[in-house]
């Protein structure tokens, strides 16, 4: 079956090349899983990608939580992820004014060179998207921003009346906007978000874990199938996979659940 048949309206309306690339990879791998690779050493990251890389469709990183980070080790790791056909998504949560966000795409980590996707808050206005876009274009790369419309953590201030609506309104028409982060732990909120976003943008959701009791420090978890059926296009799973006794089996399980949910959604 073609990606168009599988993704339906989303394929037709999300026509950015990078969104199409994600949807194609998801079909090839039969997985809507984005791995949140929250490990602290390069060795652990390399082992993890080797183990589960075939069952995920994108790799989400926090480059600044690695103890033994070096440019060479990182480039190697990104190379391995690319061999597994993964989009690289740095969860930077930019939030500064445009010209600083642009500079922050450089620096030691130089995420403009390797990140295909990056997160941003719109708390300081739309210029953050302009800054990120300019940074990519200066190194001859294009990428997409996942804008935080909701969060999974308890008591987050994005829930204040009007915030999510304003973010969607501002970001939806910006060419750097790949889509929105939605709250994977609350299917009803997600359904509302999908209605507001429409079909033309991705919604990716953290806060997904089959074991809701694993949530610590204000994290909230919801079910992967519910998230996809409520309009999410990718489940972002961290500890549900990397803390599992057998990460490969866990990744396969999340992949299967997410893929079956997508098939069910199109019926
Ligand atoms: P977990 O181990 O599945 O809870 O990891 C979740 C990941 O998603 C982690 O890297 C967070 O930084 C990230 N995340 C989140 O949990 N909630 C949010 O609202 C956003 C990102 Br945005």
């Amino acid at each position: 079956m073609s990606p168009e048949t599988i993704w339906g309206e989303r394929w037709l309306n999300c026509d950015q090349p990078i969104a199409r690339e994600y949807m194609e990879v998801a079909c090839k791998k039969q997985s809507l899983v984005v791995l949140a690779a929250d490990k602290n050493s390069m060795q652990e990251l390399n082992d993890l990608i080797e183990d589960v890389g075939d069952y995920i469709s994108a790799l989400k990183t926090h480059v600044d939580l690695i103890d033994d980070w070096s440019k060479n080790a990182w480039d190697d790791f990104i190379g391995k992820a690319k061999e597994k056909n993964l989009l690289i998504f740095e969860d930077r949560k930019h939030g500064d004014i445009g010209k600083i966000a642009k500079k922050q795409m450089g620096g030691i980590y130089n995420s403009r060179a390797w990140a295909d996707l990056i997160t941003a808050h719109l708390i300081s206005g739309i210029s953050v998207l302009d800054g990120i876009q300019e940074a990519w274009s200066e190194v001859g790369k294009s990428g997409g921003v996942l804008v935080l419309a909701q969060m999974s953590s308890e008591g987050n201030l994005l829930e204040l009346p009007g915030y999510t609506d304003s973010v969607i309104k501002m970001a939806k028409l910006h060419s750097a906007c790949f889509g929105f982060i939605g709250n994977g732990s609350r299917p009803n909120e997600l359904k509302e978000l999908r209605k507001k976003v429409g079909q033309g943008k991705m919604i990716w959701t953290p806060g997904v874990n089959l074991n809701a009791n694993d949530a610590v420090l204000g994290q909230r978890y919801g079910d992967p199938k519910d998230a996809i059926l409520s309009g999410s296009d990718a489940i972002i799973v961290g500890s549900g996979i990397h803390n599992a006794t057998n990460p490969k089996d866990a990744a396969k399980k999340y992949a299967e659940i997410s893929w079956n949910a997508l098939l069910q959604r199109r019926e």
Side-chain angles (χ1 to χ4, degrees), residues 36 38 60 62 91 93 148 150-153 181 206-208 219 221 236-240 242:
D38 297 331
K60 187 177 88 64
H62 280 301
D91 191 4
K93 299 185 182 73
L148 278 76
Q150 297 178 334
M151 289 191 76
S152 63
S153 47
I181 293 290
V208 171
Q219 178 66 302
Y221 285 132
I236 298 172
V237 185
S239 37
H242 65 72

PDB file of all heavy atoms in Angstrom, residues 36 38 60 62 91 93 148 150-153 181 206-208 219 221 236-240 242, ligand 1:
ATOM      1  N   ALA A  36      12.898   8.563  22.164  1.00  0.00           N
ATOM      2  CA  ALA A  36      13.545   9.612  22.962  1.00  0.00           C
ATOM      3  C   ALA A  36      14.766   8.964  23.599  1.00  0.00           C
ATOM      4  O   ALA A  36      14.676   8.259  24.602  1.00  0.00           O
ATOM      5  CB  ALA A  36      12.589  10.131  24.035  1.00  0.00           C
ATOM      6  N   ASP A  38      17.210   9.216  25.675  1.00  0.00           N
ATOM      7  CA  ASP A  38      17.704  10.011  26.804  1.00  0.00           C
ATOM      8  C   ASP A  38      18.743   9.247  27.614  1.00  0.00           C
ATOM      9  O   ASP A  38      18.506   8.853  28.763  1.00  0.00           O
ATOM     10  CB  ASP A  38      16.526  10.437  27.693  1.00  0.00           C
ATOM     11  CG  ASP A  38      15.564  11.343  26.939  1.00  0.00           C
ATOM     12  OD1 ASP A  38      16.013  12.060  26.026  1.00  0.00           O
ATOM     13  OD2 ASP A  38      14.362  11.324  27.251  1.00  0.00           O
ATOM     14  N   LYS A  60      14.897  11.064  18.623  1.00  0.00           N
ATOM     15  CA  LYS A  60      14.858  12.344  19.332  1.00  0.00           C
ATOM     16  C   LYS A  60      16.019  12.385  20.317  1.00  0.00           C
ATOM     17  O   LYS A  60      16.223  11.449  21.082  1.00  0.00           O
ATOM     18  CB  LYS A  60      13.535  12.509  20.080  1.00  0.00           C
ATOM     19  CG  LYS A  60      13.378  13.891  20.697  1.00  0.00           C
ATOM     20  CD  LYS A  60      12.033  14.081  21.370  1.00  0.00           C
ATOM     21  CE  LYS A  60      12.022  13.642  22.805  1.00  0.00           C
ATOM     22  NZ  LYS A  60      12.912  14.412  23.697  1.00  0.00           N
ATOM     23  N   HIS A  62      18.614  14.750  23.146  1.00  0.00           N
ATOM     24  CA  HIS A  62      18.904  15.925  23.982  1.00  0.00           C
ATOM     25  C   HIS A  62      20.419  15.965  24.011  1.00  0.00           C
ATOM     26  O   HIS A  62      21.050  15.341  24.875  1.00  0.00           O
ATOM     27  CB  HIS A  62      18.375  15.740  25.408  1.00  0.00           C
ATOM     28  CG  HIS A  62      16.912  15.989  25.581  1.00  0.00           C
ATOM     29  ND1 HIS A  62      16.319  17.194  25.274  1.00  0.00           N
ATOM     30  CD2 HIS A  62      15.912  15.194  26.048  1.00  0.00           C
ATOM     31  CE1 HIS A  62      15.025  17.136  25.550  1.00  0.00           C
ATOM     32  NE2 HIS A  62      14.747  15.927  26.005  1.00  0.00           N
ATOM     33  N   ASP A  91      15.450  17.889  20.603  1.00  0.00           N
ATOM     34  CA  ASP A  91      14.367  18.469  21.410  1.00  0.00           C
ATOM     35  C   ASP A  91      14.910  19.653  22.217  1.00  0.00           C
ATOM     36  O   ASP A  91      14.954  19.638  23.436  1.00  0.00           O
ATOM     37  CB  ASP A  91      13.818  17.360  22.325  1.00  0.00           C
ATOM     38  CG  ASP A  91      12.527  17.743  23.012  1.00  0.00           C
ATOM     39  OD1 ASP A  91      12.001  18.831  22.727  1.00  0.00           O
ATOM     40  OD2 ASP A  91      12.058  16.939  23.839  1.00  0.00           O
ATOM     41  N   LYS A  93      13.833  22.781  22.504  1.00  0.00           N
ATOM     42  CA  LYS A  93      12.852  23.699  23.104  1.00  0.00           C
ATOM     43  C   LYS A  93      13.388  25.124  23.101  1.00  0.00           C
ATOM     44  O   LYS A  93      13.500  25.785  24.141  1.00  0.00           O
ATOM     45  CB  LYS A  93      12.451  23.258  24.511  1.00  0.00           C
ATOM     46  CG  LYS A  93      11.800  21.876  24.530  1.00  0.00           C
ATOM     47  CD  LYS A  93      11.298  21.484  25.899  1.00  0.00           C
ATOM     48  CE  LYS A  93      10.690  20.093  25.933  1.00  0.00           C
ATOM     49  NZ  LYS A  93      11.665  18.995  25.835  1.00  0.00           N
ATOM     50  N   LEU A 148       5.719  23.780  20.288  1.00  0.00           N
ATOM     51  CA  LEU A 148       5.010  23.243  21.457  1.00  0.00           C
ATOM     52  C   LEU A 148       3.644  23.911  21.618  1.00  0.00           C
ATOM     53  O   LEU A 148       3.548  25.076  22.005  1.00  0.00           O
ATOM     54  CB  LEU A 148       5.838  23.438  22.738  1.00  0.00           C
ATOM     55  CG  LEU A 148       6.917  22.367  22.959  1.00  0.00           C
ATOM     56  CD1 LEU A 148       8.108  22.589  22.057  1.00  0.00           C
ATOM     57  CD2 LEU A 148       7.356  22.325  24.400  1.00  0.00           C
ATOM     58  N   GLN A 150       1.138  21.948  23.200  1.00  0.00           N
ATOM     59  CA  GLN A 150       0.761  21.346  24.485  1.00  0.00           C
ATOM     60  C   GLN A 150       2.014  20.688  25.047  1.00  0.00           C
ATOM     61  O   GLN A 150       2.984  20.492  24.327  1.00  0.00           O
ATOM     62  CB  GLN A 150      -0.302  20.247  24.295  1.00  0.00           C
ATOM     63  CG  GLN A 150      -1.623  20.723  23.728  1.00  0.00           C
ATOM     64  CD  GLN A 150      -2.612  19.560  23.513  1.00  0.00           C
ATOM     65  OE1 GLN A 150      -2.214  18.419  23.319  1.00  0.00           O
ATOM     66  NE2 GLN A 150      -3.897  19.898  23.529  1.00  0.00           N
ATOM     67  N   MET A 151       1.971  20.322  26.328  1.00  0.00           N
ATOM     68  CA  MET A 151       3.054  19.523  26.902  1.00  0.00           C
ATOM     69  C   MET A 151       2.457  18.381  27.712  1.00  0.00           C
ATOM     70  O   MET A 151       1.281  18.408  28.073  1.00  0.00           O
ATOM     71  CB  MET A 151       3.974  20.378  27.787  1.00  0.00           C
ATOM     72  CG  MET A 151       4.842  21.342  26.997  1.00  0.00           C
ATOM     73  SD  MET A 151       6.144  22.111  28.001  1.00  0.00           S
ATOM     74  CE  MET A 151       7.335  20.778  28.143  1.00  0.00           C
ATOM     75  N   SER A 152       3.294  17.397  27.999  1.00  0.00           N
ATOM     76  CA  SER A 152       2.801  16.231  28.735  1.00  0.00           C
ATOM     77  C   SER A 152       2.907  16.418  30.248  1.00  0.00           C
ATOM     78  O   SER A 152       2.270  15.696  31.004  1.00  0.00           O
ATOM     79  CB  SER A 152       3.588  14.984  28.323  1.00  0.00           C
ATOM     80  OG  SER A 152       4.949  15.116  28.672  1.00  0.00           O
ATOM     81  N   SER A 153       3.690  17.379  30.706  1.00  0.00           N
ATOM     82  CA  SER A 153       3.943  17.490  32.145  1.00  0.00           C
ATOM     83  C   SER A 153       2.804  18.189  32.882  1.00  0.00           C
ATOM     84  O   SER A 153       2.163  19.109  32.348  1.00  0.00           O
ATOM     85  CB  SER A 153       5.263  18.253  32.361  1.00  0.00           C
ATOM     86  OG  SER A 153       5.285  19.412  31.565  1.00  0.00           O
ATOM     87  N   ILE A 181       3.788  19.835  18.873  1.00  0.00           N
ATOM     88  CA  ILE A 181       3.860  18.852  19.950  1.00  0.00           C
ATOM     89  C   ILE A 181       2.525  18.881  20.678  1.00  0.00           C
ATOM     90  O   ILE A 181       2.028  19.950  21.065  1.00  0.00           O
ATOM     91  CB  ILE A 181       4.999  19.186  20.951  1.00  0.00           C
ATOM     92  CG1 ILE A 181       6.364  19.045  20.290  1.00  0.00           C
ATOM     93  CG2 ILE A 181       4.886  18.312  22.201  1.00  0.00           C
ATOM     94  CD1 ILE A 181       6.801  17.619  19.961  1.00  0.00           C
ATOM     95  N   PRO A 206       4.769  13.298  22.960  1.00  0.00           N
ATOM     96  CA  PRO A 206       5.440  12.657  24.096  1.00  0.00           C
ATOM     97  C   PRO A 206       4.407  12.367  25.188  1.00  0.00           C
ATOM     98  O   PRO A 206       3.235  12.720  25.056  1.00  0.00           O
ATOM     99  CB  PRO A 206       6.430  13.729  24.559  1.00  0.00           C
ATOM    100  CG  PRO A 206       5.778  15.016  24.188  1.00  0.00           C
ATOM    101  CD  PRO A 206       4.907  14.764  22.973  1.00  0.00           C
ATOM    102  N   GLY A 207       4.891  11.708  26.262  1.00  0.00           N
ATOM    103  CA  GLY A 207       3.961  11.355  27.343  1.00  0.00           C
ATOM    104  C   GLY A 207       3.236  10.068  27.007  1.00  0.00           C
ATOM    105  O   GLY A 207       2.050   9.921  27.295  1.00  0.00           O
ATOM    106  N   VAL A 208       3.960   9.145  26.356  1.00  0.00           N
ATOM    107  CA  VAL A 208       3.356   7.871  25.948  1.00  0.00           C
ATOM    108  C   VAL A 208       4.154   6.730  26.568  1.00  0.00           C
ATOM    109  O   VAL A 208       5.379   6.665  26.422  1.00  0.00           O
ATOM    110  CB  VAL A 208       3.342   7.752  24.403  1.00  0.00           C
ATOM    111  CG1 VAL A 208       2.936   6.348  23.984  1.00  0.00           C
ATOM    112  CG2 VAL A 208       2.415   8.798  23.790  1.00  0.00           C
ATOM    113  N   GLN A 219       5.807  14.006  35.054  1.00  0.00           N
ATOM    114  CA  GLN A 219       5.469  13.469  33.724  1.00  0.00           C
ATOM    115  C   GLN A 219       4.098  12.785  33.816  1.00  0.00           C
ATOM    116  O   GLN A 219       3.719  12.282  34.877  1.00  0.00           O
ATOM    117  CB  GLN A 219       6.560  12.466  33.278  1.00  0.00           C
ATOM    118  CG  GLN A 219       6.328  11.773  31.942  1.00  0.00           C
ATOM    119  CD  GLN A 219       6.356  12.706  30.735  1.00  0.00           C
ATOM    120  OE1 GLN A 219       5.571  13.655  30.669  1.00  0.00           O
ATOM    121  NE2 GLN A 219       7.225  12.440  29.779  1.00  0.00           N
ATOM    122  N   TYR A 221       1.564   9.960  31.554  1.00  0.00           N
ATOM    123  CA  TYR A 221       1.598   9.025  30.438  1.00  0.00           C
ATOM    124  C   TYR A 221       0.206   8.631  29.960  1.00  0.00           C
ATOM    125  O   TYR A 221      -0.722   8.509  30.756  1.00  0.00           O
ATOM    126  CB  TYR A 221       2.345   7.743  30.828  1.00  0.00           C
ATOM    127  CG  TYR A 221       3.846   7.896  30.899  1.00  0.00           C
ATOM    128  CD1 TYR A 221       4.547   7.423  32.008  1.00  0.00           C
ATOM    129  CD2 TYR A 221       4.568   8.487  29.868  1.00  0.00           C
ATOM    130  CE1 TYR A 221       5.931   7.541  32.084  1.00  0.00           C
ATOM    131  CE2 TYR A 221       5.946   8.615  29.942  1.00  0.00           C
ATOM    132  CZ  TYR A 221       6.621   8.140  31.050  1.00  0.00           C
ATOM    133  OH  TYR A 221       7.980   8.261  31.110  1.00  0.00           O
ATOM    134  N   ILE A 236       6.190   9.630  20.789  1.00  0.00           N
ATOM    135  CA  ILE A 236       7.563   9.830  21.272  1.00  0.00           C
ATOM    136  C   ILE A 236       7.703   8.996  22.545  1.00  0.00           C
ATOM    137  O   ILE A 236       7.049   9.286  23.549  1.00  0.00           O
ATOM    138  CB  ILE A 236       7.824  11.324  21.549  1.00  0.00           C
ATOM    139  CG1 ILE A 236       7.681  12.126  20.252  1.00  0.00           C
ATOM    140  CG2 ILE A 236       9.199  11.517  22.185  1.00  0.00           C
ATOM    141  CD1 ILE A 236       7.719  13.639  20.441  1.00  0.00           C
ATOM    142  N   VAL A 237       8.525   7.963  22.467  1.00  0.00           N
ATOM    143  CA  VAL A 237       8.651   7.050  23.608  1.00  0.00           C
ATOM    144  C   VAL A 237      10.102   7.013  24.077  1.00  0.00           C
ATOM    145  O   VAL A 237      11.008   6.744  23.281  1.00  0.00           O
ATOM    146  CB  VAL A 237       8.198   5.618  23.242  1.00  0.00           C
ATOM    147  CG1 VAL A 237       8.222   4.722  24.483  1.00  0.00           C
ATOM    148  CG2 VAL A 237       6.814   5.626  22.617  1.00  0.00           C
ATOM    149  N   GLY A 238      10.302   7.290  25.337  1.00  0.00           N
ATOM    150  CA  GLY A 238      11.641   7.242  25.915  1.00  0.00           C
ATOM    151  C   GLY A 238      11.795   6.037  26.814  1.00  0.00           C
ATOM    152  O   GLY A 238      12.081   4.920  26.357  1.00  0.00           O
ATOM    153  N   SER A 239      11.539   6.242  28.121  1.00  0.00           N
ATOM    154  CA  SER A 239      11.799   5.170  29.083  1.00  0.00           C
ATOM    155  C   SER A 239      11.002   3.899  28.806  1.00  0.00           C
ATOM    156  O   SER A 239      11.460   2.808  29.155  1.00  0.00           O
ATOM    157  CB  SER A 239      11.584   5.670  30.513  1.00  0.00           C
ATOM    158  OG  SER A 239      10.510   6.559  30.572  1.00  0.00           O
ATOM    159  N   GLY A 240       9.839   4.028  28.166  1.00  0.00           N
ATOM    160  CA  GLY A 240       9.060   2.834  27.802  1.00  0.00           C
ATOM    161  C   GLY A 240       9.893   1.878  26.961  1.00  0.00           C
ATOM    162  O   GLY A 240       9.670   0.661  26.970  1.00  0.00           O
ATOM    163  N   HIS A 242      13.808   2.567  26.368  1.00  0.00           N
ATOM    164  CA  HIS A 242      15.205   2.409  26.801  1.00  0.00           C
ATOM    165  C   HIS A 242      15.362   1.907  28.230  1.00  0.00           C
ATOM    166  O   HIS A 242      16.423   1.422  28.598  1.00  0.00           O
ATOM    167  CB  HIS A 242      16.031   3.676  26.530  1.00  0.00           C
ATOM    168  CG  HIS A 242      15.625   4.887  27.308  1.00  0.00           C
ATOM    169  ND1 HIS A 242      15.858   5.026  28.642  1.00  0.00           N
ATOM    170  CD2 HIS A 242      15.014   6.034  26.914  1.00  0.00           C
ATOM    171  CE1 HIS A 242      15.397   6.205  29.046  1.00  0.00           C
ATOM    172  NE2 HIS A 242      14.874   6.830  28.015  1.00  0.00           N
TER     173      HIS A 242
HETATM  174  P1  LIG B   1       9.842   9.468  28.615  1.00  0.00           P
HETATM  175  O1  LIG B   1      10.968   8.701  29.183  1.00  0.00           O
HETATM  176  O2  LIG B   1       9.027   8.688  27.594  1.00  0.00           O
HETATM  177  O3  LIG B   1       8.984  10.125  29.643  1.00  0.00           O
HETATM  178  O4  LIG B   1      10.569  10.645  27.787  1.00  0.00           O
HETATM  179  C1  LIG B   1       9.847  11.683  27.193  1.00  0.00           C
HETATM  180  C2  LIG B   1      10.740  12.538  26.340  1.00  0.00           C
HETATM  181  O5  LIG B   1       9.931  13.484  25.655  1.00  0.00           O
HETATM  182  C3  LIG B   1      11.796  13.329  27.073  1.00  0.00           C
HETATM  183  O6  LIG B   1      12.935  13.400  26.254  1.00  0.00           O
HETATM  184  C4  LIG B   1      11.199  14.716  27.237  1.00  0.00           C
HETATM  185  O7  LIG B   1      12.149  15.759  27.182  1.00  0.00           O
HETATM  186  C5  LIG B   1      10.309  14.809  26.022  1.00  0.00           C
HETATM  187  N1  LIG B   1       9.097  15.628  26.223  1.00  0.00           N
HETATM  188  C6  LIG B   1       8.127  15.314  27.148  1.00  0.00           C
HETATM  189  O8  LIG B   1       8.213  14.323  27.870  1.00  0.00           O
HETATM  190  N2  LIG B   1       7.013  16.109  27.264  1.00  0.00           N
HETATM  191  C7  LIG B   1       6.839  17.227  26.515  1.00  0.00           C
HETATM  192  O9  LIG B   1       5.820  17.889  26.634  1.00  0.00           O
HETATM  193  C8  LIG B   1       7.865  17.532  25.576  1.00  0.00           C
HETATM  194  C9  LIG B   1       8.961  16.723  25.446  1.00  0.00           C
HETATM  195 BR1  LIG B   1       7.695  19.002  24.512  1.00  0.00          BR
END
